[in-house]
Structures are given as structure tokens and as C-alpha cells.
Amino acid sequence: MTTKPKVALEIPLGKAFEQKLVDRYEIVPGASAREGVRALVTIGAIETGGARMDALPDLGLICCFGSGYEGIDLAAAKARGIKVANSVGANASAVADLAVALLLAAMRKVVAGDRLVRSGEWRGSNASSLLFLPGLAGRRIGVLGLGAIGEKIAERLAAFETEIGYHSRKPKSGSLYRYFDSLKAMAEWADVLMIAHRADETNRHMVNAEVLSALGADGFVVNISRGSAIDEDALVAALKDRRIAGAGLDVFEGEPDVRADLRALDNVAMTPHLGGGTREALGAMSDAVVANIDAFFAGKPLPNPVI
């Protein structure tokens, strides 16, 4: 009888995902994983450092469910000959959709309007604060990070008759959008800042008080990257003082715990980190992880290696 290769799941990812692996691999819960585990499936938000890798002496692959890999110590993995992969691009459309939804919710006060109707208070001048709000047409949209998700955000918002600019480490070859060589310069130009870059400890709080001030009192910021991308102290202060007009947030620094002073603000639209949570995106991410695992055990190049 042939022994199936062992694959450990750091967190439960559901029966549908496990069913795609169970015929070929032995699935092991991460908490009980020890010798013999050759592949570890995790998410970028979970810390996977050298000590964790050493606890799995036969480990050869770490594969992230999702595009983020900020919790993986890449240097430690390389030193141990462990390959790292992710499912980059698999959830890009879903995340971009939510980014646009959060922007519209923040700009047009969709949540406030919903509450007004549900409370039965749609009378007289009660809805007046929801009038004369800015629309999207003619707005300048600055995208921080023109990767798979940022590109799809730009494509969607271009259809709203907006002007698109972006900032990244270097200009993207073939892009038709305006490139800014500094985030502050783009924020000064933009009406909206869409945060879509790969956030990790090297660019923590990249969107700080200076950037938010540059965005200005009529500006909106949307974050579907990671909570660490924004200095939340600076964000709360800017929102309270109306130094920016509003925000749409799917990610938070201390998630799932969201600070009370942020939750209390009426110029923020918030969702619980569900950008990539559509049926289609979860299926695509599952397929990408399985493809990476299959390639690893077959001795073939990984479809989505993290370089």
C-alpha cells in the first residue's frame, strides 16, 4: 500500500477545499503536524518563521491560500530549501469589486441612507445630508500598487468616467495610466486613494498623516490591502477632524478587533475582511493552491512561486 504524502493545513479551509486533496494526500491539522509533513497550507496573516519550519523537519513547500505572504519568513525558508507559493491573482476580481463598493458606500453614504429608510425617518429634511454628495464621474483616482488587484480596480473605475493614476516602485510597462514616482505626489493629485499594494513590515504605515493631509478635506481613502498599510492613529484623527472626507475599509490593524474610535465614526464604510470571499474567488484560490501542491510533489515548476 502506497503512503500518501502529508499536507498540513495551518487553519481549516473547509471540506470543499480538502476534498480536492484527499484522494492524493493525507491531510493533517497544523496543530498536530510533525515529521513527514512535506507541504504546509497557510495564509499570509499567520506568522510562519524559522521555528515553525524547524518543527516540520521534512517541509519542502509553504503555500499561502490567497495572495498575501507577509507572515512567511522568506529568508528562513530559503535557508532551509523550502519553496514558497501563493494564489496570486485568483481573487483579484472579487477584491476589486469590493473596493469599488466600499468607495461608493463611503462617497454616497449608502449605509447612512439604509439606516434612514429602515428607521422610518425618511421625512422632511432628514435626508438632506445625503444630497449634494460627490459622484465618481470626473474624480481623480490614485491607485497604490498596480498589481493584479490594483489593475482590476483601475479598469473598473475607469468605466465610471474617472481619471486614473498610480504609484508603485517603478512604472508598469505598457500601462496607459499616469505614473507618480511618489505616493505623496499622487495623493496631492488624487480625489481618491485606493490602497492595493502588497503590504508588509517593509512598508508599514506607508499611508501616514502626511499622505492623508496631501489627499485633502474632499478626499477618500479605501483599503483592501492589509491593515498595516495605514497608520490608524493618523486615519482616525484625519476622519475626526474632517481633514479627509471619508474612508472605506475591509482590513484593519488589529483585526478582528476594530478600535472603538474608528467604529464610532460616521464617515467610514467597513466590512470584515471579506474582499476575496466570493464563491468564485474561493474556488479559484483553492484550485491555485492545489495546482502548486501537485506541481511540487510532481517535481515540476510551481505555477505561483513567491520570489
Side-chain angles (χ1 to χ4, degrees):
M1 180 177 177
T2 303
T3 302
K4 295 179 182 178
K6 287 185 179 181
V7 175
L9 304 185
E10 200 71 286
I11 61 171
L13 292 169
K15 291 296 182 183
F17 172 71
E18 292 185 22
Q19 200 60 43
K20 295 180 179 182
L21 294 170
V22 71
D23 290 341
R24 302 183 301 286
Y25 308 106
E26 179 184 347
I27 308 302
V28 180
S32 60
R34 297 294 184 271
E35 292 83 2
V37 169
R38 296 284 292 132
L40 175 68
V41 180
T42 185
I43 59 174
I46 294 178
E47 183 177 348
T48 308
R52 179 58 175 144
M53 298 174 200
D54 291 340
L56 303 172
D58 300 307
L59 189 64
L61 172 69
I62 299 171
C63 189
C64 291
F65 189 92
S67 60
Y69 53 84
E70 68 277 11
I72 312 299
D73 187 334
L74 298 180
K78 183 177 181 180
R80 291 161 176 77
I82 299 171
K83 297 179 179 180
V84 180
N86 62 357
S87 56
V88 62
N91 64 357
S93 291
V95 177
D97 289 348
L98 185 66
V100 175
L102 283 169
L103 176 58
L104 286 168
M107 291 184 74
R108 299 296 300 273
K109 296 190 177 180
V110 173
V111 177
D114 177 85
R115 288 173 179 163
L116 188 71
V117 175
R118 290 179 187 275
S119 67
E121 296 179 3
W122 182 9
R123 294 288 187 278
S125 63
N126 288 345
S128 60
S129 66
L130 305 181
L131 300 175
F132 300 102
L133 298 173
L136 267 177
R139 300 280 82 76
R140 291 175 169 179
I141 312 294
V143 181
L144 173 55
L146 202 66
I149 294 172
E151 186 76 49
K152 289 189 178 294
I153 290 173
E155 290 171 357
R156 282 156 172 72
L157 288 175
F160 282 83
E161 303 169 48
T162 65
E163 186 178 350
I164 307 292
Y166 73 99
H167 169 68
S168 57
R169 287 189 298 270
K170 57 184 180 180
K172 187 170 184 178
S173 178
S175 176
L176 300 177
Y177 307 125
R178 179 176 176 179
Y179 174 72
F180 290 85
D181 61 7
S182 82
L183 176 55
K184 182 182 177 184
M186 184 174 74
E188 290 173 341
W189 168 86
D191 302 301
V192 174
L193 176 60
M194 307 293 290
I195 304 175
H197 70 304
R198 186 174 302 287
D200 56 33
E201 285 305 311
T202 67
N203 52 27
R204 181 177 179 81
H205 291 180
M206 189 172 184
V207 179
N208 54 25
E210 183 180 35
V211 171
L212 293 172
S213 293
L215 186 60
D218 294 324
F220 290 82
V221 62
V222 173
N223 189 13
I224 45 75
S225 173
R226 286 290 188 267
S228 64
I230 301 182
D231 180 340
E232 275 193 4
D233 287 338
L235 176 64
V236 170
L239 288 165
K240 279 184 176 179
D241 298 341
R242 306 289 168 164
R243 285 184 280 111
I244 63 171
L249 306 173
D250 186 47
V251 290
F252 307 86
E253 283 207 82
E255 62 183 60
D257 298 317
V258 180
R259 50 196 289 173
D261 54 358
L262 181 56
R263 288 187 281 113
L265 296 171
D266 63 1
N267 51 348
V268 187
M270 294 180 281
T271 48
H273 202 156
L274 47 75
T278 66
R279 180 188 309 163
E280 295 81 4
L282 291 170
M285 286 189 287
S286 295
D287 290 343
V289 170
V290 172
N292 280 305
I293 292 172
D294 286 346
F296 169 73
F297 282 108
K300 297 179 179 179
L302 300 177
N304 304 113
V306 172
I307 308 300

